Amino acid sequence: MAAVKETIDQVKGIDLDKYKYGFVTNIGSEKAPKGLNTDIVRYISAKKDEPEWMLEWRLDAYERWLTMEEPDWAKVNYPKIDFNDLYYYSEPKSDSDGPKSLDEVDPELLRTYEKLGIPIKEQAVLAGVQGARVAVDLVFDSVSVVTTFKAELAKAGVIFCPMSEAVREHPELIRKYLGSVVPKSDNFYAALNSAVFSDGSFVYIPPGVRCPMELSTYFRINEPNTGQFERTLIIADKGSFVSYLEGCTAPMRDENQLHAAVVELITHEDAEIKYSTVQNWYPGDSEGKGGIFNFVTKRGDCRGDNSKISWTQVETGSAITWKYPSCILRGDNSRGEFYSIAISNGRQQIDSGTKMIHLGKNTSSRIISKGISAGKSSNTYRGLVSAHRKATGARNFTQCDSLLIGDQCSAHTVPYIEANTPSAQFEHEATTSKISDDQLFYCTSRGLGEEEAVALIVNGFCKEVLQKLPMEFAVEAQSLVGISLEGSVG
Amino acid sequence: MSSDFLNIENLVVEVAGKPIINGLNLTMAPGEVHAIMGPNGSGKSTLSYALAGRNGYEVTGGSVTFLGRDLTQMSPDERAAAGVFLAFQYPIEIPGVATMTFLKEAINAQRRARGLDDLPTPQFMRLVREKAKALKVSDDMLKRPLNVGFSGGEKKRNEILQMALLEPRLGVLDETDSGLDIDALKVVAEGVNSLRAADRSFLVITHYQRLLDHIVPDFVHVMAGGRIVRSGDKSLALELEREGYAEFETGMGQSAA
């Protein structure tokens, strides 16, 4: 009992203010006036030099958003957001029309990404993995700063560019796919995003192509009182494959910042998308002051037969997380996967999970969710598995494990299961456990410090999911698990 | 008599406010093997936990000096780095953490505490394979999650493997023989014997004398009522085997006076 008591005491005195990505970049910015109205929507559209149809699409979304209500069913509490007290667009100031290559990017921005450990030089390799190459799109507040390896990807026929560029250069693809998985009026935040989205990444993999490298987007919110509304669209055409990773950080600020993204994935016949997220937005301080409000809609559509979408997420940041990466299993024999590690510490609140919608025949899905709560945080898994009456032979396996550290945090599991065909086979397993004093003592008696011991035990708990991350990021994610729980024990 | 290796004087240890060890004295010199025997509830395991620094085993009186340092002021990981190793009676399971990973973390944590660099992986692997072979620990066992689904014998062999890798100055073996058949007992005993060295000592806690046929002690102590009530050589263990602990259970250590 004594160690548990001590853990609790330590958690009370927790110092979350150690968030190492919390620095601010001092760079001039150009912002749209505060608030949200049709003029702001027009301002953003004009900034991006968009065609008329795109502006109309945005204005339609804005009209729909006005009629919608903020959802309140999630197990999170936060003060009402004043949507007119936010900046909806901010870009780092530059003299030219925007950088054409890395050499033209503001050195202050490059230093920002260097500090964050993001490989932006094309020859750069990630720590510990020799020869690994990752193409990166960097999004700073509302604009994409630079995208690497574009020429090499183009050789393979892969399009990887900022969303704003895709709207101008590939209108046929955007008009066909944008909003086809997450409709404009899907939910309150998706409608808001559709009206004011600023940038994000666009990926198109042509038929039969295996993308020659990992693609990655790195999101950074710098400006105060600014929302980031990025939009990502990934299309894997017949028989293609791509692995994509997104990472996110933000400075430490006393006020809350809003992040409302929409991600749409589409796989055609025999195609596969592997989408990984390492989300490390600023979580707020130990008293719950500041931090990112993360309201994100992510959905994949397995449109073709035998296609596959796999979501892997490591969620360690944000004050509030509201996020349910989902799969619509439309094609016959299609497969959806969701692997999640969600760590909450301090006063963080997470309500996250997935939806697996089985529509096609013999579709299968797998959900492995690992929730770790420490401090005074609240961690909820919310998931839906449903089978349409025509989805004969649908199969799902769900495993939700929760680990508690200390006795002031909470873990909740809210599964919804709807099977409309008698041939569906759905399995659900859930466990809740605590790190025991025995385990801690065993590790420390072998020489590990208490924090090392907790990190080791938690990494063991999450191992199944960590193994799903691209190798280049697995090491980073493992150490992030340790860092996120710093201060959770003595 | 005192020693600058391990010196326990008038030790009092309380668990949940209740004294379990009551004025225990014990002195060990380098290279010695001491056996502690005694009836159930005499405080043998409490002594082992108190030496390793387990939370909740509060030292409220006396002193424990190990290599000139006050052990009671050190955290469990500091004690480990200083050379104290406890082989658990019931080794703990840690799901998802491969035994090999755990061994590496432990070795490197201790090396860092001593100001050394981490052991390079190839060197570490060679070392583990060599020690594992002697203890009949299979590659498969090293890949499995630590102690999860291990048989009683596998768990105890794994404890001795850890001790062989960490090379402590003081090995405390808490009822290492419990739950072992005679073959497993021999493997474990051989493992311990191979670690005997002029600068390394062992405190072997056991209920039965049969372990001491294989790990032959220099001294045997009888513990009862939270203190050592009688000390002798190997023959004392045989006497206890014949006569049982009844004398000490009724007298609660009075005969020590």
Side-chain angles (χ1 to χ4, degrees), chain A residues 332-378:
Chain A
D332 290 349
N333 307 311
S334 61
R335 180 168 172 83
E337 293 175 344
F338 175 74
Y339 300 104
S340 170
I341 298 170
I343 302 179
S344 56
N345 198 349
R347 303 227 180 211
Q348 282 176 270
Q349 303 173 62
I350 296 180
D351 193 305
S352 181
T354 185
K355 287 189 275 187
M356 293 291 173
I357 320 273
H358 293 255
L359 301 178
K361 291 185 181 57
N362 298 315
T363 47
S364 62
S365 59
R366 183 178 170 86
I367 299 170
I368 308 284
S369 164
K370 305 278 181 177
I372 298 112
S373 339
K376 295 182 177 173
S377 67
S378 157

Side-chain angles (χ1 to χ4, degrees), chain A residues 238-397:
Chain A
K238 285 180 186 171
S240 67
F241 170 83
V242 63
S243 171
Y244 177 94
L245 184 126
E246 67 165 43
C248 342
T249 58
M252 284 159 59
R253 295 191 183 281
D254 286 348
E255 71 275 14
N256 297 108
Q257 287 167 287
L258 178 64
H259 175 254
V262 172
V263 175
E264 296 177 280
L265 311 183
I266 296 128
T267 48
H268 289 288
E269 222 172 283
D270 300 315
E272 179 178 348
I273 297 176
K274 183 176 163 58
Y275 190 106
S276 313
T277 306
V278 176
Q279 186 265 107
N280 188 20
W281 295 119
Y282 177 52
D285 71 7
S286 51
E287 292 307 309
K289 195 168 189 207
I292 300 284
F293 288 169
N294 195 29
F295 297 98
V296 172
T297 306
K298 289 183 166 175
R299 196 172 302 155
D301 187 355
C302 288
R303 220 162 265 185
D305 292 351
N306 310 311
S307 64
K308 180 178 170 187
I309 288 176
S310 173
W311 298 99
T312 304
Q313 59 172 25
V314 179
E315 302 280 316
T316 62
S318 296
I320 308 276
T321 301
W322 181 97
K323 176 182 171 187
Y324 315 89
S326 305
C327 295
I328 301 167
L329 304 169
R330 200 183 301 274
D332 290 349
N333 307 311
S334 61
R335 180 168 172 83
E337 293 175 344
F338 175 74
Y339 300 104
S340 170
I341 298 170
I343 302 179
S344 56
N345 198 349
R347 303 227 180 211
Q348 282 176 270
Q349 303 173 62
I350 296 180
D351 193 305
S352 181
T354 185
K355 287 189 275 187
M356 293 291 173
I357 320 273
H358 293 255
L359 301 178
K361 291 185 181 57
N362 298 315
T363 47
S364 62
S365 59
R366 183 178 170 86
I367 299 170
I368 308 284
S369 164
K370 305 278 181 177
I372 298 112
S373 339
K376 295 182 177 173
S377 67
S378 157
N379 202 326
T380 302
Y381 168 82
R382 189 183 302 276
L384 167 71
V385 178
S386 77
H388 188 264
R389 67 188 165 77
K390 287 181 180 162
T392 50
R395 294 182 310 283
N396 166 267
F397 174 76

Side-chain angles (χ1 to χ4, degrees), chain A residues 99-276:
Chain A
K100 302 280 181 295
S101 72
L102 269 176
D103 303 333
E104 292 177 30
V105 176
D106 188 318
E108 185 63 27
L109 273 180
L110 290 183
R111 270 194 292 279
T112 301
Y113 287 98
E114 225 162 80
K115 261 171 146 170
L116 295 167
I118 307 301
I120 39 172
K121 300 258 169 59
E122 297 203 344
Q123 69 275 24
V125 294
L126 284 161
V129 187
Q130 289 297 318
R133 291 185 313 163
V134 179
V136 185
D137 183 20
L138 301 176
V139 179
F140 194 84
D141 289 333
S142 308
V143 282
S144 171
V145 183
V146 68
T147 309
T148 61
F149 284 113
K150 270 170 91 168
E152 193 165 336
L153 289 167
K155 259 186 250 160
V158 172
I159 304 171
F160 178 41
C161 67
M163 196 60 165
S164 49
E165 188 182 317
V167 170
R168 293 191 301 266
E169 314 267 320
H170 307 284
E172 70 298 342
L173 289 171
I174 299 295
R175 294 186 84 154
K176 183 170 173 192
Y177 291 107
L178 188 72
S180 72
V181 186
V182 179
K184 278 176 276 195
S185 53
D186 185 79
N187 67 69
F188 183 82
Y189 294 105
L192 177 64
N193 175 287
S194 300
V196 300
F197 76 85
S198 41
D199 228 328
S201 298
F202 174 78
V203 177
Y204 173 77
I205 315 289
V209 170
R210 198 179 164 87
C211 188
M213 63 184 81
E214 295 276 341
L215 303 184
S216 160
T217 300
Y218 196 87
F219 296 102
R220 173 85 180 164
I221 305 179
N222 188 57
E223 280 298 307
N225 297 315
T226 300
Q228 190 175 56
F229 305 92
E230 90 266 3
R231 186 105 194 176
T232 297
L233 176 59
I234 301 178
I235 303 138
D237 217 324
K238 285 180 186 171
S240 67
F241 170 83
V242 63
S243 171
Y244 177 94
L245 184 126
E246 67 165 43
C248 342
T249 58
M252 284 159 59
R253 295 191 183 281
D254 286 348
E255 71 275 14
N256 297 108
Q257 287 167 287
L258 178 64
H259 175 254
V262 172
V263 175
E264 296 177 280
L265 311 183
I266 296 128
T267 48
H268 289 288
E269 222 172 283
D270 300 315
E272 179 178 348
I273 297 176
K274 183 176 163 58
Y275 190 106
S276 313

Side-chain angles (χ1 to χ4, degrees), chain B residues 96-243:
Chain B
V97 176
T99 302
M100 189 70 104
T101 306
F102 182 77
L103 296 174
K104 194 173 169 194
E105 291 284 328
I107 282 195
N108 287 332
Q110 293 204 13
R111 288 178 67 92
R112 286 193 291 268
R114 296 180 193 129
L116 298 170
D117 287 338
D118 284 10
L119 205 57
T121 302
Q123 210 176 321
F124 164 78
M125 299 290 280
R126 265 200 305 281
L127 186 68
V128 173
R129 294 248 152 77
E130 176 198 314
K131 307 265 186 195
K133 204 172 161 195
L135 286 159
K136 297 192 167 58
V137 170
S138 65
D139 274 5
D140 173 61
M141 225 175 106
L142 293 170
K143 283 181 198 148
R144 277 151 60 193
L146 185 68
N147 291 324
V148 178
F150 283 24
S151 69
E154 285 175 330
K155 283 184 181 171
K156 295 299 170 75
R157 293 206 307 269
N158 187 25
E159 291 295 287
I160 305 303
L161 173 62
Q162 292 177 42
M163 184 161 73
L165 286 167
L166 295 170
E167 302 184 313
R169 299 291 306 278
L170 172 65
V172 180
L173 278 58
D174 187 9
E175 309 231 8
T176 295
D177 52 331
S178 70
L180 292 188
D181 62 30
I182 187 68
D183 295 326
L185 182 72
K186 277 183 182 162
V187 173
V188 165
E190 277 166 29
V192 174
N193 286 331
S194 71
L195 290 171
R196 289 180 76 155
D199 62 350
R200 181 175 296 134
S201 304
F202 293 92
L203 188 61
V204 181
I205 292 170
T206 180
H207 195 75
Y208 302 104
Q209 105 86 25
R210 72 169 185 167
L211 177 66
L212 305 181
D213 285 341
H214 302 281
I215 305 173
V216 181
D218 301 302
F219 301 94
V220 174
H221 311 279
V222 181
M223 203 168 160
R227 66 178 75 167
I228 287 171
V229 292
R230 209 176 137 192
S231 298
D233 61 13
K234 168 83 177 90
S235 62
L236 176 57
L238 294 165
E239 184 192 320
L240 289 168
E241 171 102 324
R242 273 196 317 275
E243 324 235 322

